[in-house]
Amino acid sequence: MNDKRDAIDDLLVEWYEYEDSYRPALGYGRADPACRNYRPGRYRDSDELAELAERSARRQVCEAVGDCVRRLELRHRIAIQTVMRNWLSGATVWRAGRLNGEDPEAIYAEAKRALAPLLRARSLIEALDFSEIQT
């Protein structure tokens, strides 16, 4: 894994893990939608409320990062997916055939430079000088 991660890398890892955790709900729900969140005789304590708030904030950040990633060129999105898979697996086992033999790490660095202004416009990262972006 890259030891010199920056704010963009951290956001992309969090976004990738969030996107990867999606599992479609198949079949019927266990409760009627009107009563799904009802908890009889139980109030939410501060820890539970804090966890809900944290989960909601994470979802909003990851959805905003996802919107920014979707604006990139296809080759940049492919490189991001490939690099994230390799980082999170801990080995360089994933390849991207659609990159026509180009180095995914080099295209990932291009993608980060293209992504920086989009993330900055949404206030997801501080103003970075392009020389600060780790490649």
Side-chain angles (χ1 to χ4, degrees):
M1 185 134 169
N2 188 355
D3 292 336
K4 295 185 176 185
R5 288 181 25 185
D6 57 22
I8 296 174
D9 292 328
D10 292 338
L11 277 174
L12 287 173
V13 167
E14 187 172 344
W15 164 78
Y16 183 80
E17 288 174 338
Y18 173 80
E19 291 283 321
D20 194 43
S21 70
Y22 172 76
R23 300 291 180 264
L26 303 174
Y28 295 105
R30 295 187 316 221
D32 184 86
C35 303
R36 187 174 298 140
N37 294 326
Y38 177 71
R39 306 272 190 259
R42 182 169 172 238
Y43 295 98
R44 292 185 172 163
D45 61 358
S46 61
D47 291 338
E48 192 174 0
L49 290 173
E51 182 183 332
L52 287 172
E54 184 177 318
R55 195 177 321 146
S56 175
R58 180 176 187 248
R59 186 187 80 242
Q60 289 176 355
V61 168
C62 290
E63 287 175 357
V65 172
D67 289 341
C68 294
V69 169
R70 281 187 284 281
R71 291 181 175 191
L72 297 176
E73 294 177 24
L74 179 61
R75 62 193 287 270
H76 289 155
R77 294 192 312 258
I78 292 170
I80 289 171
Q81 291 284 339
T82 305
V83 169
M84 290 297 120
R85 282 182 181 154
N86 284 329
W87 280 8
L88 295 176
S89 70
T92 308
V93 294
W94 294 96
R95 302 210 190 310
R98 297 174 98 187
L99 294 179
N100 299 324
E102 293 181 79
D103 180 27
E105 291 284 342
I107 299 172
Y108 176 74
E110 289 177 24
K112 283 174 48 176
R113 284 190 288 277
L115 196 57
L118 299 172
L119 295 173
R120 197 174 26 236
R122 289 190 175 227
S123 300
L124 295 170
I125 59 172
E126 299 289 323
L128 292 175
D129 182 17
F130 287 111
S131 63
E132 293 177 16
I133 295 176
Q134 301 293 327
T135 55

